[in-house]
Structure formats: structure tokens, C-alpha cells
Amino acid sequence: MKLLNTLYNKTYLLALRLVSKFVSKPNQISFVGSGSLEQLCAHITRMGLTNVLVVTDKPLVDLGIARRVVDGIEASGGQVVIYDDVLPDPTTAMVDAGVQKFNANNCDAVLALGGGSSIDTAKGVAAAATNGDIASLVGVMKVKNKVAPLFAIPTTSGTGSEVSVAAVISDAQ
């Protein structure tokens, strides 16, 4: 039995490596250091993205950190819609609410501001906005359509959510 499990796992990993050679990988640009927030905001609008959904939590709004993002995007000629209902351990319901806000406001990009929960929620919103219900995206290789443009401003370190394509979203039902 152990030999079968090992063989299965090795075959599965080999198949994933082969498939990954043919799947497009996301472009990643990093802005670091003084003025990086303004650089990111200007980059977003230079890309022609003018209506950005910022996915964050209420404490970052209350502390005024989200305001800096709003000001940066607006100064670059864009508009911002805030979705600040993210809680720790995001659920499918949070992603669904974010997608509704994205669609209702004709957003064309998603910007995550916060820790892993905000970033994972934003990933879910960006994927579900172009691929249907978040519940249908559970598993490997389920996202068929290109996701909405996604940007991240991590405010914590530890989860690494900003550098991976996966998201951890719980089904609260």
C-alpha cells in the first residue's frame, strides 16, 4: 500500500510539473522602499485600470492606512471602492460579497491591503469575478479564465500569500 501511495504521489507531482510548463504564470512586479505605494498606484492607472476594488479589513481603514491607498490611486486618476468586511480565516461568503461589490461598481482590478486573510480574499474575488462562483474553483487547475488584475500590499509577514497563486478560503456552510 505504501508503495502505491508513493508511486501515486510521484506521478501526480510529475503531471503537475508537466502541466505547469504549458500554463501561463502571473507577471509579478515588486515596488519596494520609500515611495513604493505611490509607484504602485501610478502603475495601476498606467495599465488603464481606473476602478479598483480595495480588499482590506476594518482596522486598516480605521487606522487610516487604507486612506493612503485611496489617495494614491485617486491622485493617479483612478477611482476606489473599499470592501472592508474581511475577517481572519476568510470564507466563501466573504469572497461572494466582494465579488458582488466588484461587479456592482464595475471594477476592473482588485488590490489587497493587509495580511493573509485580505490577500486570500482578494485572490478569491479576482478569480471568481471572471470564473464564476468561488465554490466551483476549489481544487487544482480550476481557474480557467484569466483572473481580474490583482495587486497586493502586504502589511504583515508570515503567510506568504502575496507570492503564491493559491488561496485559503473556508466554506462556512
Side-chain angles (χ1 to χ4, degrees), residues 124-171:
V125 170
T130 60
N131 286 274
D133 184 49
I134 189 67
S136 69
L137 303 178
V138 174
V140 178
M141 306 294 285
K142 300 290 182 150
V143 177
K144 303 296 183 203
N145 300 319
K146 189 173 183 178
V147 301
L150 175 64
F151 305 90
I153 301 174
T155 59
T156 61
S157 62
T159 67
S161 185
E162 69 277 7
V163 296
S164 72
V165 295
V168 178
I169 308 291
S170 299
D171 186 355

Side-chain angles (χ1 to χ4, degrees), residues 30-40 68:
S30 296
F31 298 97
V32 295
S34 180
S36 57
L37 175 68
E38 293 78 12
Q39 291 174 9
L40 172 62
R68 291 187 55 211

